[in-house]
Amino acid sequence: MRVDIVSLFPEFVAQVAGHGVVGRAGERGLLSIHGWNPRDYAQGNYRRVDDKTFGGGPGMVMMIEPLQACLSAVRAAEPTPAPVVYLTPQGKPLTQPKVRELAALPRMILLCGRYEGIDERFVEAEIDEEISIGDYVLSGGELAAAVLIDAVARLQEGALNDAESAAQDSFEDGLLDCPHYTHPASHALGEVPAVLRSGDHGAIARWRRQQALLRTWQRRPELMAGREWSKEDRKLLKELGIPLE
Ligand code: ADE
């Protein structure tokens, strides 16, 4: 997958992409990241990319022209079609199904805003999707873009060493993950649950599923609302005393 980042700080996002799973995905040729700075496409001695907001008020707004010129260069660099995704607190909340959808594309173009945002005319004309990574305000879209790149990179085929681990993640099934333990089995902080040491794979899978249900119920009950439950899940929920709707 190819990711193009349009940002006033493209090297900042590229930095994040140099480490861990994302870095390895790059080394394995599964992901390539290309940074683009609208300032390089701005006119005049000052290479201005922002201006005051019409109607008055604090903050600066990113101007249409440098963004348009920059985006044209991004498109001209490579013919593969790609949606333009704008990272903004006004966007739709990022979810694992959305990550999966984007991860399956051959390319995406990420646009990071700074200041008060981007001239709305550019957003209406050029942006395919607006995505938020949560109900809080960052000082720019760069960290949000880094989050999205990380989530998408680890889903590229061959990016993770243990092929199973992505499928078993939190949210892949719409539930939180179960607890995990490692050696030593016995420690001053407590014991590893006996079932995990039993070697009974069926019992272990049932326990893990039940723990995932319990955690989701305790921490994020809204994730469970309106769901269709399998017969097995119904049984596990009943054992926990969690009422079915
Ligand atoms: N830019 C600033 N805040 C953001 C957020 N919460 N999500 C995505 N982009 C942002």
Side-chain angles (χ1 to χ4, degrees):
M1 179 179 202
R2 174 182 169 120
V3 181
D4 294 279
I5 301 157
V6 176
S7 158
L8 294 173
F9 307 97
E11 58 298 328
F12 177 84
V13 187
Q15 266 269 323
V16 178
H19 304 279
V21 172
V22 188
R24 209 169 59 213
E27 285 160 19
R28 292 179 179 174
L30 307 172
L31 192 78
S32 67
I33 298 178
H34 306 262
W36 303 84
N37 194 335
R39 202 175 291 284
D40 296 337
Y41 300 86
Q43 301 295 314
N45 286 344
Y46 293 103
R47 295 195 167 270
R48 185 152 203 188
V49 291
D50 61 322
D51 208 337
K52 285 181 289 217
T53 177
F54 267 115
M60 304 292 271
V61 178
M62 288 175 76
M63 298 160 76
I64 296 173
E65 300 279 344
L67 287 172
Q68 253 181 349
C70 186
L71 187 57
S72 296
V74 174
R75 293 220 187 271
E78 159 72 42
T80 310
V84 182
V85 178
Y86 173 34
L87 286 313
T88 164
Q90 276 69 247
K92 273 207 192 137
L94 183 62
T95 59
Q96 192 64 21
K98 173 54 73 178
V99 169
R100 237 179 285 136
E101 184 189 314
L102 292 171
L105 298 176
R107 184 186 186 193
M108 65 178 173
I109 301 169
L110 304 182
L111 176 58
C112 306
R114 282 261 147 188
Y115 317 113
E116 291 308 295
I118 289 175
D119 191 304
E120 190 63 20
R121 292 166 293 180
F122 182 83
V123 176
E124 284 171 10
E126 303 287 0
I127 302 298
D128 297 298
E129 279 197 60
E130 297 180 56
I131 289 182
S132 164
I133 62 158
D135 290 341
Y136 42 80
V137 180
L138 304 166
S139 52
E142 284 75 12
L143 280 170
V147 165
L148 178 55
I149 290 169
D150 185 289
V152 157
R154 58 192 297 286
L155 293 188
Q156 299 303 304
E157 183 129 25
L160 296 178
N161 283 331
D162 180 353
E164 284 250 75
S165 60
Q168 289 180 4
D169 280 342
S170 275
F171 292 113
E172 276 305 333
D173 181 37
L175 297 177
L176 303 187
D177 203 1
C178 64
H180 296 277
Y181 301 86
T182 186
H183 295 283
S186 216
H187 187 274
L189 293 183
E191 302 290 309
V192 172
V195 60
L196 296 177
R197 294 184 278 156
S198 68
D200 180 342
H201 297 298
I204 292 170
R206 259 192 318 281
W207 181 87
R208 286 187 168 151
R209 183 73 187 175
Q210 193 166 42
Q211 289 291 314
L213 290 165
L214 178 61
R215 277 198 164 180
T216 309
W217 169 253
Q218 288 171 333
R219 300 178 186 194
R220 300 287 306 278
E222 78 279 8
L223 295 176
M224 295 175 83
R227 241 181 105 126
E228 294 285 331
W229 300 106
S230 66
K231 209 170 130 217
E232 293 75 31
D233 282 344
R234 285 171 180 277
K235 193 160 163 249
L236 295 171
L237 286 162
K238 199 163 165 223
E239 282 171 21
L240 291 167
I242 295 174
L244 293 161
E245 283 166 30

